[in-house]
Amino acid sequence: MGRRVYLVLLALLAVALGNYIWGDMLFLRADGLVLRERALVEATSTIRVEGVAVRRGQGVSAGQTLLKVGSIEILERIADYASRNAELVEREAALRSRANIVGELLPLADKRMNETSRMVQELQDLKAKSIVSSQRLEEVTAVAYTAQTEFVRLSSEKESLVAEIEAVAQARAHSLEALSNLEEYYANGIVSASKSGQVGEIVPSVGEVFRAGDSMLSIISGDAYVLVYLPSNYWFQLDAGMKVEIANGRQSAAGYISEILPVSQSVPPEFQQAFRPDQTRQLARVEFEEPSLFPTAANVRVTRPNIVHQAYAWLKEL
């Protein structure tokens, strides 16, 4: 009897050792994580949390207020844009005033230039007949030159003012648009939900400060699925649509492999084994046949349905 017990124990040990070493090649036994789509709410500048309107796990709808934050950087930028816009308005008003003055003076300068040019022509005719002295002709010619110079200057200034007013108007329009977009983006520090879902496990506290790029909270939405780390080697056929069982030791659910992903990833620390080195395994996506009751980020085990589950499914089909 002792030898029989010893041989049975030895056989069980051999089976357990063989199952540990080669079991993954014969049976589908893969670790996975229950995931859902996660939308992160990140800080775009250095901000301070002034109010929190949600709690962990709370359901929220799109557009609902999540946080009230304050950012000195954005407020300073808004003030800079407002100050720049005021300067541009003042400059545009000054340019338009100058353009109006030039527009009023230009016809007078044109009339003066034409009259002095006519006088020069008449004096030249009289000079040819020796009726007018050369000194008088030179004086009128100098006046005509001054009148023509003034007309050319005013004409050039008018063209320059038109171009400058257009450039300032465009700059002011861009400044107003940037100011409007920044104020709309800042929304007085109100952070709203981008989609409906549930608040994640991390919620900031009032007074907490975040730098640009820091994650403040997350919104979990969509149907749950399992990201599975397939065995390194297996001798069975594995295709999309294959029925599987998902369990975490306390509850189980039926599912199917929806997609075998063409990517690999290192096994997370919680799935690593003490006597096996860190491995990189191919990923697969498993969908639940019915709405999942598994919590997000739960560790699960994905296997083929056992005989009992297969018989139950067969009876349901009948």
Side-chain angles (χ1 to χ4, degrees):
M1 180 62 68
R3 287 195 300 269
R4 291 177 181 178
V5 172
Y6 174 76
L7 290 175
V8 170
L9 293 177
L10 190 61
L12 292 176
L13 178 61
V15 171
L17 184 61
N19 179 55
Y20 179 78
I21 298 176
W22 298 292
D24 291 345
M25 298 182 182
L26 302 176
F27 309 101
L28 175 59
R29 296 182 304 193
D31 298 312
L33 290 172
V34 178
L35 301 176
R36 296 172 67 187
E37 293 184 5
R38 184 183 295 266
L40 296 178
V41 178
E42 297 181 344
T44 56
S45 62
T46 302
I47 62 174
R48 180 181 181 273
V49 178
E50 298 179 352
V52 179
V54 294
R55 62 181 185 278
R56 293 179 180 85
Q58 176 181 339
V60 295
S61 57
Q64 182 176 339
T65 300
L66 302 175
L67 304 171
K68 175 70 168 64
V69 300
S71 174
I72 296 179
E73 294 180 8
I74 295 182
L75 292 176
E76 288 179 348
R77 291 174 61 184
I78 291 176
D80 290 341
Y81 277 121
S83 176
R84 174 175 172 78
N85 183 61
E87 292 176 358
L88 291 174
V89 169
E90 183 180 356
R91 177 163 178 77
E92 183 179 0
L95 291 174
R96 291 189 182 278
S97 176
R98 179 59 182 168
N100 292 334
I101 294 174
V102 172
E104 294 291 335
L105 294 177
L106 192 59
L108 298 177
D110 184 25
K111 181 178 180 180
R112 183 186 178 195
M113 180 187 68
N114 293 331
E115 291 178 354
T116 54
S117 297
R118 180 179 55 81
M119 291 178 61
V120 169
Q121 184 63 39
E122 292 177 355
L123 290 176
Q124 286 178 347
D125 295 339
L126 295 175
K127 176 67 170 58
K129 297 177 182 180
S130 300
I131 298 177
V132 178
S133 63
S134 299
Q135 182 178 2
R136 177 60 179 168
L137 178 60
E138 290 178 359
E139 292 176 355
V140 175
T141 301
V143 173
Y145 177 79
T146 302
Q148 186 174 4
T149 301
E150 183 67 11
F151 176 78
V152 172
R153 185 185 67 80
L154 291 175
S155 299
S156 177
E157 186 176 0
K158 180 179 180 180
E159 295 178 359
S160 176
L161 286 172
V162 169
E164 193 170 355
I165 289 173
E166 182 178 357
V168 172
Q170 291 180 357
R172 189 168 68 87
H174 292 161
S175 178
L176 283 173
E177 182 180 3
L179 177 60
S180 176
N181 292 337
L182 187 59
E183 288 178 341
E184 181 180 359
Y185 173 77
Y186 184 58
N188 293 323
I190 301 298
V191 180
S192 303
S194 59
K195 58 173 62 177
S196 300
Q198 292 180 325
V199 179
E201 66 280 3
I202 300 177
V203 175
S205 303
V206 175
E208 194 169 354
V209 177
F210 294 90
R211 294 178 298 177
D214 291 346
S215 177
M216 296 184 291
L217 56 77
S218 60
I219 298 177
I220 302 171
S221 61
D223 297 330
Y225 66 93
V226 180
L227 186 64
V228 179
Y229 295 82
L230 297 175
S232 301
N233 299 305
Y234 47 88
W235 294 345
F236 48 86
Q237 186 67 26
L238 195 62
D239 299 314
M242 177 180 176
K243 301 290 184 179
V244 296
E245 182 181 354
I246 306 161
N248 64 350
R250 185 171 55 88
Q251 55 186 351
S252 61
Y256 62 93
I257 298 177
S258 63
E259 186 179 5
I260 299 177
L261 304 177
V263 294
S264 299
Q265 184 174 319
S266 298
V267 178
E270 57 266 27
F271 296 147
Q272 295 179 10
Q273 299 181 9
F275 300 102
R276 291 186 181 180
D278 183 17
Q279 296 178 347
T280 299
R281 298 189 181 183
Q282 188 176 5
L283 301 177
R285 182 185 177 112
V286 173
E287 303 286 349
F288 290 93
E289 292 186 353
E290 298 180 357
S292 170
L293 298 177
F294 288 86
T296 304
N299 298 341
V300 295
R301 188 77 163 172
V302 177
T303 59
R304 287 183 178 180
N306 55 40
I307 298 177
V308 175
H309 286 85
Q310 292 178 358
Y312 178 72
W314 180 73
L315 290 175
K316 285 182 64 177
E317 293 178 356
L318 294 178

